[in-house]
Amino acid sequence: MRIALIDESPTLLSIWKSMLAETDYEPEIFGSRDTELARLKVEAPELIVFGSMPKDRSLLELVSRLKQSDALRESALVLATSLEREKIPDLIDLELVDGVLVKPFQKDQILDVVDRVRTARVSFERGTPLAAIVDDSQTARAILNNQLESMGFEVVTASDGQEGLELITETLPDLALVDVEMPVLTGFELCRRLSEDSRTRRIPVIIVSSVVDEASVKKGFTSGSIDFVPKPVDTNLLVERIHEIRGERFGPLGRARAQSLNLED
């Protein structure tokens, strides 16, 4: 994924290159002047990071100008700033950007934001939202499949944890529903492995299980799931959880993606 850094200092580029050295992300530096913006439109990077305040125009003007460009309309925008987070809205409407990095930031913070934007972009470009169901019960898979399809999802399924891991890594779905007690890999182990992989750690995983004791719920969250829905499934509760996840997870890109789903407020 190509990353454009809007900054006048080459120091920022060296920092980002160092932090992203072991990834497939390719950072490149750009200025905020018209000639540099023209070059930016030609390159059309997937991610644009504002590393410093532009000298010849306001940040709001620069962001608005980039958003009006057809070539950059689908580029994600991230603000890197030394301002305290509560003061950022005084600088720019946060609805206009897809992420914020507060300086000084560490490598894991950069990777988290970049991976989040990358996952949101894959979701946004997919067309039809994709959900994965991993459950060894054919009946449970059928019930969940019907519910998700009625909500506008395309659905892929797996019948054990290992098959689910391979399926999710290959397809990078927008959402995964995972059972706990399964052959080969348990749902907890599946969640743990997904959370350790940069390609899949941003995929929201909901555990759907008849095992609902306090210890299991806690283990689910520590393994990497973000919610827990008990069996038999309350469809209203499931729809509510999915609505919350898809609508708020990735800022403007995520909200635009959620609008394509057949979900009611």
Side-chain angles (χ1 to χ4, degrees), residues 151 153 239 242-244 246-247 258 260-265:
M151 296 165 63
F153 282 94
V239 169
I242 294 173
H243 191 182
E244 292 172 355
R246 297 297 302 137
S260 69
L261 300 180
N262 182 21
L263 300 174
E264 298 181 356
D265 292 329

Side-chain angles (χ1 to χ4, degrees), residues 45 49 53 66 85 93 106 123 175 188 206 213 228 255:
V49 179
M53 296 302 103
L66 294 182
R85 188 170 292 273
D93 182 355
Q106 304 299 318
S123 172
L175 172 72
F188 297 140
I206 299 177
D213 59 274
F228 206 108
R255 283 189 288 277

Side-chain angles (χ1 to χ4, degrees), residues 55-111:
K55 297 179 179 179
D56 53 347
R57 69 197 77 199
S58 70
L59 178 62
L60 178 59
E61 180 185 353
L62 178 57
V63 170
S64 299
R65 183 170 176 179
L66 294 182
K67 281 187 167 290
Q68 291 170 4
S69 168
D70 290 338
L72 302 175
R73 187 163 295 165
E74 294 185 3
S75 298
L77 307 181
V78 169
L79 174 64
T81 178
S82 56
L83 286 176
E84 296 177 2
R85 188 170 292 273
E86 59 270 17
K87 294 182 179 179
I88 296 174
D90 296 334
L91 179 67
I92 191 171
D93 182 355
L94 291 178
E95 291 291 318
L96 296 176
V97 296
D98 298 281
V100 175
L101 282 168
V102 178
K103 302 174 183 178
F105 42 77
Q106 304 299 318
K107 177 179 180 178
D108 61 338
Q109 293 171 295
I110 289 180
L111 291 175

Side-chain angles (χ1 to χ4, degrees), residues 4 17 46-47 59 62 65 74 92 108 117-118 135 139 167 177 180 188 196 221 223 236 243:
K17 281 188 172 181
E46 289 86 353
L47 172 61
L59 178 62
L62 178 57
R65 183 170 176 179
E74 294 185 3
I92 191 171
D108 61 338
V117 168
R118 181 181 194 171
D135 198 308
T139 301
L167 179 69
L177 304 183
V180 170
F188 297 140
E196 292 176 348
F221 287 128
S223 298
N236 290 328
H243 191 182

Side-chain angles (χ1 to χ4, degrees), residues 4 72 78 99 150 182 187-188 190 196 203 215 227 241 253 264:
L72 302 175
V78 169
S150 73
M182 295 185 293
F188 297 140
L190 172 57
E196 292 176 348
I203 297 172
D227 216 326
R241 294 291 191 266
L253 277 177
E264 298 181 356

